[in-house]
Amino acid sequence: MSKLKERRNRSGLSQAQLAEKSGVSKRAIQDYEQGYRDINGAKAIYIYKLSKALDCNMEDLIEL
C-alpha cells in the first residue's frame, strides 16, 4: 500500500474528499496510490498540498 493511501485512509478521507481539500485532481491521487505515477517524481507543490490536507510532512508521502 502506498504511503499516500495509508495516510488518506488514516485520515478517513475518500479520494474525492482529498482531491477537494488539497486541490490535487482525483485522477492524480488515484494514479499515485495505484503506482501508475511515481509520487517521488511529482511536482513539489502537489506533495505539499497533499501533505497539508493530510496534516503530515511532505517526507511522509515520499516512497523510499
Side-chain angles (χ1 to χ4, degrees):
M1 180 181 302
S2 72
K3 290 183 176 185
L4 175 59
K5 185 172 185 175
E6 191 177 308
R7 287 280 177 173
R8 182 180 58 76
N9 286 340
R10 269 197 244 158
S11 72
L13 296 172
S14 68
Q15 290 177 337
Q17 290 168 323
L18 179 57
E20 185 175 325
K21 189 173 179 181
S22 68
V24 176
S25 75
K26 180 180 169 189
R27 182 66 188 178
I29 292 168
Q30 289 171 334
D31 287 351
Y32 294 139
E33 287 188 359
Q34 295 172 358
Y36 296 131
R37 292 164 88 183
D38 183 7
I39 196 164
N40 294 354
K43 291 183 180 181
I45 190 67
Y46 292 161
I47 298 172
Y48 174 78
K49 288 178 175 185
L50 290 167
S51 69
K52 288 299 176 190
L54 293 169
D55 195 32
C56 65
N57 294 318
M58 292 173 64
E59 295 85 0
D60 296 331
L61 301 178
I62 299 297
E63 300 292 338
L64 299 176

